[in-house]
């Protein structure tokens, strides 16, 4: 009998166990049984050869069509040429010095063939493929492998083909004793889930398609529950540390601010503002994610929340991902507040507060002054980078932290934030992101936060028109780009030119692909070429902070016509007079990043223009992504398209970390019902039993889940 935690060598022998460990990182029974088939072949149905891709390690179910032997002239050896077919297309295979295989590979036989797909003179081929024929008569074991009508095809590796994996799985399943089902019986009953033993058998050796479907459903639930239990526990522990309530103060700063707002709040701003106001008035710390397109008016919402807290005599902090952004936030908050934010200055309003900026690059004297204002409570609103929290800056009484741009601020940082309230309290936390994410992703990746979304744009927002400029197909359009930029500047407007790279990196000689265009190359080329005579500035992340700030100021003040920059301008930069953006090598950016970038134009009263310049060709997946960005400016729609176009494995960041993904079966796109239902169930269980003392199986499942903290859906380089 074997349990899920058992190691494999005793069951499969040292050699096989070692091969599984080195080729697929499979060490335990559980690892092996959670190495699910990638797909299933149906007995009698051959694999479509047309679907193969060059370079992939493929497994195909095919029929031997022809085998012939020839001598190699140069060396004293033989080549066995074999053609296999799916009935429509052919794949050639070559075996070097393996003439003895000729007697096995009889035309007409079918089997699985695995190997790396290469091309030889325009035909696809497998070199020295591994294979397993279905009708190896005298090998009872091989027969047994393929008796079933549904044949699992596993993610395989060189030397560990799918049928070897299947054989290991079968050996293990034969002696498997899963013990108590980790999923409580009441949950299984409620959601009609198979028991674990049935599901593990069913996913590897399904008796029929219904068995397989039921098994997949159950195992998806395992994944969903593990993730949602973690978030339910996080939510639970977040509220176990109380916050100080900050009720609305009548006649306070917030009221004064509302009175002088030059516009009406949108319905969304009002509704979310009410939700936040209620959260802030409660003893439960707020943990809210505010999603909203660039320009949807999140900052106003955040500022009103901060004022409600300041009205209660506490402080609010606003954290930005970069110093440039922090400085800019401080400026725009001061601007929006006017005399309400000029405490200590001449002409300040009666109950005015003070906006204090603190960044790492400040001079010692300035920094000391800021720190003093923060610890004394003189600063009602403190603006800084995320370092504000990491550096243990002392606050008099931090009541609210607003974190701008969620995706650079992970779960651990949010946890650190929770301890920064006065005494044993936790500050309220409002996280803002301009990258809209589908609801299922929010529930899976930011499951510990309540989510609010600002879906409408303030009235009077100018439209942004986006055009893909395919310079490989239409070279003449290249000149037209710079003419358009000149036209905008001619009308008194400004433009951004965005490049993927800075250009001060040492050249890499590894890649045969052209390196992406760089700010430091493009700027002088434009200056001496098509944009001669215009005032051009440069901005990138490796400039000293003072220089960056100076350039941003110059651009804001319209002292520069064109800003050539990296994605440092991606977030938060607000220059309403900038109306055009040219994104060079646009294919090097992700969909949401492009969307975020173009949000920098069209912020004023004039329509914005965004040109996506690319050398990629029509019909490629990359061009499809650019076309999606061109087709809609609805960020929520785009994020859905993006999710469809991206491989889901990337979502939980498993690809980058090299770890296997937590989510193997659960699809964020298609399994919304499972995600929502498991979230609900997890919440109920944790409310009764926060430490899962009565649910040892579930607790174990949570432990098994790989590092949810890596769930950096948006962190895509
Ligand atoms: P975000 O932070 O979501 O990108 P901001 O809060 O910076 O957006 O708002 C963008 C611009 O829209 C700002 O100039 C802001 O003053 C303005 N704005 C915000 N809310 C409204 C509204 N309800 N009506 C008109 N303009 C608004
Ligand atoms: Mg903003």
């Amino acid at each position: 009998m074997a349990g899920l935690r058992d190691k494999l060598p005793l069951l499969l022998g040292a050699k096989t166990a070692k091969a599984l460990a080195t080729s697929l990182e499979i060490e335990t029974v559980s690892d092996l049984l959670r190495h699910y088939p990638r797909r299933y072949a149906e007995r009698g149905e051959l694999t479509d050869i047309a679907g193969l891709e060059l370079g992939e390690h493929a497994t195909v179910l095919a029929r031997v069509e022809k085998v012939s032997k020839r001598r190699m002239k140069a060396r004293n050896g033989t080549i066995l040429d074999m053609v296999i077919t799916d009935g429509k297309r052919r794949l050639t295979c070559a075996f070097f010095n393996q003439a003895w295989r000729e007697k096995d590979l009889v035309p007409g036989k079918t089997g699985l063939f695995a190997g790396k797909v290469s091309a030889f003179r325009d035909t696809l081929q497998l070199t020295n493929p591994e294979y397993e024929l279905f009708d190896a008569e005298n090998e009872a074991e091989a027969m047994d492998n393929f008796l079933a009508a549904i044949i699992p095809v596993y993610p395989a590796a060189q030397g560990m083909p799918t049928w070897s994996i299947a054989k290991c799985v079968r050996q293990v399943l034969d002696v498997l004793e899963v013990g108590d089902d980790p999923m409580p019986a009441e949950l299984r009953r409620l959601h009609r889930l198979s028991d674990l033993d049935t599901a593990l058998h069913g996913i590897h050796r399904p008796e029929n398609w219904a068995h397989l479907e039921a098994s997949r459903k159950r195992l998806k639930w395992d994944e969903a529950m593990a993730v949602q239990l973690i978030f339910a526990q996080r939510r639970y522990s977040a509220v176990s540390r109380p916050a100080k309530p900050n009720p609305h103060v009548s006649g306070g700063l917030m009221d004064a601010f509302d009175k002088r707002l030059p516009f009406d709040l949108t319905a969304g701003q009002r509704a979310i503002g009410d939700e936040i106001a209620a959260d802030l008035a409660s003893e439960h710390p707020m943990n809210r994610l505010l999603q909203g397109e660039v320009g949807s008016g999140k900052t106003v919402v955040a500022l009103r929340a901060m004022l409600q807290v300041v009205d209660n005599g506490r402080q609010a902090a606003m954290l930005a991902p970069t110093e440039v952004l922090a400085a800019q936030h401080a400026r725009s908050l001061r601007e929006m507040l006017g005399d309400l934010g000029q405490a200590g200055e001449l002409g300040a309003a009666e109950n005015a507060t003070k906006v204090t900026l603190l960044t790492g690059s400040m001079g010692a004297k300035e920094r000391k002054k800021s720190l003093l204002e923060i610890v004394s409570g003189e600063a009602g609103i403190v603006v800084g980078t995320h370092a504000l929290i990491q550096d243990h800056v002392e606050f008099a009484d931090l009541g609210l932290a607003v974190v701008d741009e969620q995706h650079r601020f992970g779960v651990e940082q949010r946890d650190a934030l929770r301890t920064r309230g006065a005494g044993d309290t936790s500050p309220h936390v409002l996280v803002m992101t301009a990258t809209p994410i589908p609801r299922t992703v929010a529930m899976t990746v930011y499951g510990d936060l309540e989510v609010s979304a600002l879906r409408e744009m303030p009235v009077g927002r100018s439209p942004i028109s986006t055009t893909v400029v395919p310079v490989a197909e239409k070279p003449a359009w290249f000149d037209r780009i710079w003419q358009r930029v000149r036209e905008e500047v001619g009308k008194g407007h400004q433009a951004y030119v965005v490049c993927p790279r800075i250009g001060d990196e040492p050249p890499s000689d590894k890649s045969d692909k052209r390196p992406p265009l760089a700010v430091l190359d493009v700027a002088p080329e434009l200056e001496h070429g098509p944009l001669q005579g215009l005032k051009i500035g440069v901005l990138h992340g490796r400039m000293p902070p003072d220089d960056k700030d100076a350039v941003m100021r110059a651009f804001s003040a319209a002292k520069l016509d064109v800003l050539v920059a990296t994605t440092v301008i991606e977030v938060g930069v607000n220059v309403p007079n900038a109306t055009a953006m040219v994104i060079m090598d646009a294919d090097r950016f992700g969909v949401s990043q492009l969307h975020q970038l173009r949000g920098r134009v069209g912020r004023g009263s004039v329509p914005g223009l965004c040109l996506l310049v690319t050398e990629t060709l029509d019909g490629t997946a990359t061009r499809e992504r650019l076309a999606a960005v061109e087709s809609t400016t609805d960020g929520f729609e785009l994020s859905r398209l993006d999710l469809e176009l991206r491989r889901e494995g990337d979502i939980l960041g498993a690809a980058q970390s090299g770890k296997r993904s937590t989510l193997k079966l659960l699809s964020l796109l298609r399994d919304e019902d499972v995600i929502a239902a498991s979230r609900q169930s997890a919440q109920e269980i944790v409310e009764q039993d926060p430490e899962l003392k009565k649910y040892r199986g579930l607790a174990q499942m949570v432990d098994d889940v790989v590092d949810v903290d890596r769930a950096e859906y948006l962190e895509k380089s």
Side-chain angles (χ1 to χ4, degrees), residues 261-267 269 290-302 318 329 332 336 404-405 432-434 454 457-461 572-574 576 599-600 603:
L261 259 181
F263 45 72
D264 291 330
L265 295 174
T266 63
Q269 283 173 320
L290 173 56
Q291 296 189 42
E293 292 265 4
V294 169
S296 59
K298 297 183 295 298
T299 312
V300 178
V301 172
M318 183 165 215
H329 273 315
S332 69
M336 286 161 88
D404 194 14
E405 305 310 339
M432 304 198 293
T433 172
L454 274 175
M457 295 298 248
V459 285
R461 186 53 47 88
V573 170
N574 191 10
R600 303 297 118 210
R603 309 203 110 206

Side-chain angles (χ1 to χ4, degrees), residues 131-186:
Y131 60 89
E132 182 95 332
L133 298 171
F134 285 176
D135 38 4
E137 295 105 8
N138 34 12
E139 220 188 299
E141 204 169 62
M143 282 293 286
D144 190 35
N145 255 338
F146 298 121
L147 270 178
I150 302 171
I151 301 159
V153 179
Y154 290 93
Q158 195 70 48
M160 188 49 75
T162 178
W163 51 87
S164 302
I165 298 170
K167 188 174 153 195
C168 295
V169 167
R170 181 162 49 81
Q171 280 178 314
V172 167
L173 281 177
D174 283 347
V175 294
L176 180 68
E177 184 78 67
V178 293
D180 289 340
D181 196 318
M183 192 72 80
E186 69 264 24

Side-chain angles (χ1 to χ4, degrees), residues 245-249 280 307-315 397:
N246 303 273
H248 172 248
V249 174
L280 293 176
L307 292 176
Q308 182 171 334
V309 169
V310 173
D311 276 338
N312 281 271
R314 306 209 163 81
Q315 292 165 298
D397 186 357

Side-chain angles (χ1 to χ4, degrees), residues 605-644:
S605 52
V606 184
L609 170 74
C610 176
L611 302 176
L612 306 176
V613 185
T614 180
E615 287 184 1
T616 55
L617 298 176
D618 200 16
T620 58
T622 323
R623 273 290 284 283
E624 220 175 296
R625 289 193 298 120
L626 296 182
V629 178
E630 187 181 52
S631 71
T632 177
T633 48
D634 179 340
F636 286 89
E637 171 62 13
L638 261 185
S639 69
R640 205 188 51 74
L641 284 174
D642 193 19
L643 189 56
E644 260 172 28

